[in-house]
Amino acid sequence: MNKKLIYSLCAASFLMTACDYNEDNFPGFDQEPLTDVIYYEGDFTGKYPAEGYFSLVQGDEEAGKATIEEALISMLEDTYPYCDKGSSAKIKVKVADVLPPQGTDVVADEEYELTTADYDGMGTDDKQPGKHDNFAYNIDPNDYLPDFCEGKYADKPVGFICKIIYKYYANYETTTQAKFYKKGGSGWAEDTGFEADKSYIFSSADYADIAGTDGSKGFIGSDEEVAALISLFLQKKYIASDGMTVALNYKHAGNVIDAIFRYNGEKWEAYNPAKEVVASVSERITVMKFDGKEWKLSNLISRIEKLTLTNAEYTKLVEWVNTNKPEYMSTLNTTSEYYFGADCSKNNNINNKYSTWTQYYNVDGYLDGLDDAEIQTIMDERLANEGLATILLPGMVTNPDPDTSYTVVYKIYGGRGNGNYAMSFYYNADDNIYTWDEMTPVMQ
């Protein structure tokens, strides 16, 4: 369910004689602006990329986050064309965790740059290299270059590596790129320099046990059927960890095949280290802030955990103040303090009543000359950074997780208005601390 909360501070301006009365009796009344502080919580309603999800490539996450941020800004600006500083949003999006191409530097025995005749020889129809003498974004070089190498380097021995230089067209720009190809026992294949964790050569006994076939011909059936048989075989053979790879050599219908399989945490599947691999697709939560001028992506997390202050937490705040800041303790009872504003009697709340703070607990005059908004800022920052992040959260969370947003709900009396409000925090594992996201407290 989507939620939208708007807090409005409205000051009306009248065009008749009432204007003079307001100006004379309520200074500043007519100058108060209309303020819309938006809080949105819900699903992403904008447009996903063609895949149906956003992608974060390991090692280059910032590029993916920039794409997500752009899409979220577009959605929020369309939904809320007018909002003010302090607005925020938590939006659920589908995000893929993508493994980048793997490999090391490859040294070629020979390099060659494709000519116009070479492109034409690969076909001149639409979506073929010879159409524009290049490989476009929708033409995979690996669909053509292994066969090209087979013809050009037919006399080369197994193990020979060539570097093929070609033109690549994408995003209205043509660039020069290159791929390495290595001659193997079953033909030519792209060589990324990738080394698998293990290697295995299938034997005649394996074919007989797995598929009941003649060892001289190896596996029979479609590529998909063979891949499924190999996956089951590897599942039984290895106690694998997520990401483990095995280089395989096997026969399929009499042909010798070199392939790599990778364990994805659940099963074994064919793996091409030269290509990006979608490791998983999951729902993530994006945290957006509006700074008064524009929306910005603040964080990307996996879950939200809601925590509500109870009498035990309010009591802990009062006890801390009594020990460390006794000058802020209530002069009327032992269950209230005005450093955080905590009350642990029957009220169990945070007292933000401005007049009480300024008239009775203005220690050393630190609130002198401040308006209500400035006092509220002190209240929020002190409660968030000292009270919740430092004193309470370490005892409220058993197993802190950096990928979780901890939403702390507390009760306010006075201040910005009576009711339950929430602040959000993130855990920094390196420093073992909780950090406030600095968003305006949100009424629940």
Side-chain angles (χ1 to χ4, degrees):
M1 177 180 292
N2 295 343
K3 293 193 298 183
K4 173 196 171 190
L5 303 176
I6 304 179
Y7 310 103
S8 299
L9 302 174
C10 303
S13 171
F14 298 97
L15 298 178
M16 301 178 71
T17 56
C19 290
D20 295 333
Y21 179 83
N22 289 332
E23 181 64 29
D24 293 340
N25 294 278
F26 302 100
F29 181 91
D30 296 325
Q31 282 72 47
E32 288 294 329
L34 174 66
T35 303
D36 282 345
V37 177
I38 302 296
Y39 175 67
Y40 174 88
E41 183 176 334
D43 296 328
F44 176 65
T45 59
K47 185 177 181 181
Y48 279 104
E51 298 84 5
Y53 51 76
F54 296 108
S55 296
L56 291 180
V57 180
Q58 294 180 9
D60 190 25
E61 289 87 354
E62 293 308 311
K65 288 181 180 179
T67 300
I68 294 173
E69 182 181 56
E70 183 179 355
L72 295 178
I73 290 174
S74 178
M75 168 194 155
L76 289 169
E77 288 181 343
D78 287 345
T79 307
Y80 307 115
Y82 304 102
C83 60
D84 288 315
K85 184 177 181 180
S87 296
S88 60
K90 291 182 178 177
I91 305 171
K92 295 179 181 178
V93 296
K94 296 177 184 176
V95 179
D97 181 25
V98 180
L99 300 176
Q102 304 293 308
T104 57
D105 292 338
V106 179
V107 178
D109 297 303
E110 185 176 319
E111 69 175 48
Y112 178 80
E113 184 168 359
L114 297 180
T115 66
T116 299
D118 295 326
Y119 290 115
D120 291 345
M122 299 176 198
T124 57
D125 293 336
D126 289 341
K127 295 184 178 181
Q128 290 185 327
K131 178 71 174 179
H132 299 290
D133 296 333
N134 61 32
F135 288 96
Y137 62 91
N138 56 355
I139 305 175
D140 187 351
N142 286 332
D143 290 340
Y144 294 90
L145 295 184
D147 289 339
F148 173 81
C149 293
E150 181 69 35
K152 183 171 181 60
Y153 300 110
D155 60 337
K156 299 300 182 182
V158 170
F160 179 85
I161 298 174
C162 62
K163 177 181 179 181
I164 303 299
I165 303 170
Y166 60 92
K167 301 295 184 183
Y168 180 75
Y169 176 80
N171 297 321
Y172 307 102
E173 182 181 7
T174 300
T175 58
T176 299
Q177 299 190 13
K179 286 181 178 291
F180 295 86
Y181 291 88
K182 183 177 183 179
K183 187 173 184 179
S186 57
W188 291 83
E190 184 178 3
D191 185 1
T192 65
F194 176 81
E195 293 186 9
D197 298 312
K198 294 183 179 294
S199 62
Y200 187 79
I201 300 175
F202 281 80
S203 65
S204 297
D206 292 328
Y207 300 122
D209 291 342
I210 298 170
T213 59
D214 182 358
S216 64
K217 292 186 178 180
F219 292 111
I220 59 174
S222 66
D223 291 343
E224 291 77 12
E225 291 170 335
V226 172
L229 290 172
I230 292 175
S231 179
L232 291 174
F233 172 79
L234 294 175
Q235 192 86 24
K236 295 177 181 178
K237 184 173 181 60
Y238 296 107
I239 299 176
S241 57
D242 189 6
M244 178 179 171
T245 56
V246 179
L248 303 175
N249 179 273
Y250 60 91
K251 293 180 181 178
H252 181 193
N255 297 313
V256 178
I257 306 295
D258 292 311
I260 298 173
F261 272 63
R262 177 182 180 275
Y263 186 66
N264 65 11
E266 296 181 356
K267 65 178 182 178
W268 289 89
E269 57 187 2
Y271 173 56
N272 182 352
K275 293 184 176 181
E276 292 182 345
V277 175
V278 176
S280 64
V281 178
S282 61
E283 188 172 75
R284 304 289 295 275
I285 300 168
T286 57
V287 182
M288 300 289 290
K289 292 182 184 179
F290 187 71
D291 63 7
K293 295 182 179 180
E294 59 184 350
W295 287 96
K296 293 182 179 179
L297 178 63
S298 170
N299 211 336
L300 183 63
I301 55 178
S302 293
R303 60 186 289 269
I304 297 174
E305 182 175 337
K306 183 173 285 189
L307 306 166
T308 301
L309 298 195
T310 66
N311 176 260
E313 284 75 45
Y314 291 114
T315 299
K316 192 170 184 178
L317 290 177
V318 172
E319 291 175 346
W320 185 91
V321 172
N322 188 44
T323 301
N324 298 278
K325 303 282 185 179
E327 64 272 25
Y328 289 91
M329 287 297 295
S330 171
T331 57
L332 302 177
N333 57 60
T334 60
T335 59
S336 301
E337 54 79 19
Y338 289 88
Y339 185 73
F340 300 116
D343 180 288
C344 61
S345 64
K346 63 179 181 180
N347 293 320
N348 288 317
N349 62 16
I350 300 294
N351 189 327
N352 275 181
K353 193 171 182 181
Y354 305 132
S355 60
T356 302
W357 281 55
T358 56
Q359 292 179 30
Y360 304 107
Y361 302 98
N362 184 13
V363 178
D364 295 330
Y366 81 105
L367 298 177
D368 289 349
L370 302 182
D371 60 26
D372 289 349
E374 292 170 322
I375 295 173
Q376 186 66 64
T377 297
I378 291 174
M379 293 173 168
D380 291 342
E381 292 180 350
R382 184 180 288 171
L383 177 64
N385 296 323
E386 297 181 62
L388 300 179
T390 304
I391 300 172
L392 297 183
L393 274 172
M396 297 178 74
V397 180
T398 304
N399 297 305
D401 178 13
D403 205 23
T404 296
S405 170
Y406 295 98
T407 300
V408 181
V409 180
Y410 58 97
K411 185 179 180 180
I412 283 182
Y413 169 70
R416 57 168 42 89
N418 297 344
N420 290 327
Y421 289 79
M423 291 183 181
S424 295
F425 298 81
Y426 305 103
Y427 177 68
N428 184 320
D430 292 335
D431 298 327
N432 191 29
I433 60 173
Y434 291 88
T435 304
W436 177 38
D437 68 4
E438 299 183 355
M439 291 186 185
T440 301
V442 177
M443 192 173 191
Q444 302 299 287

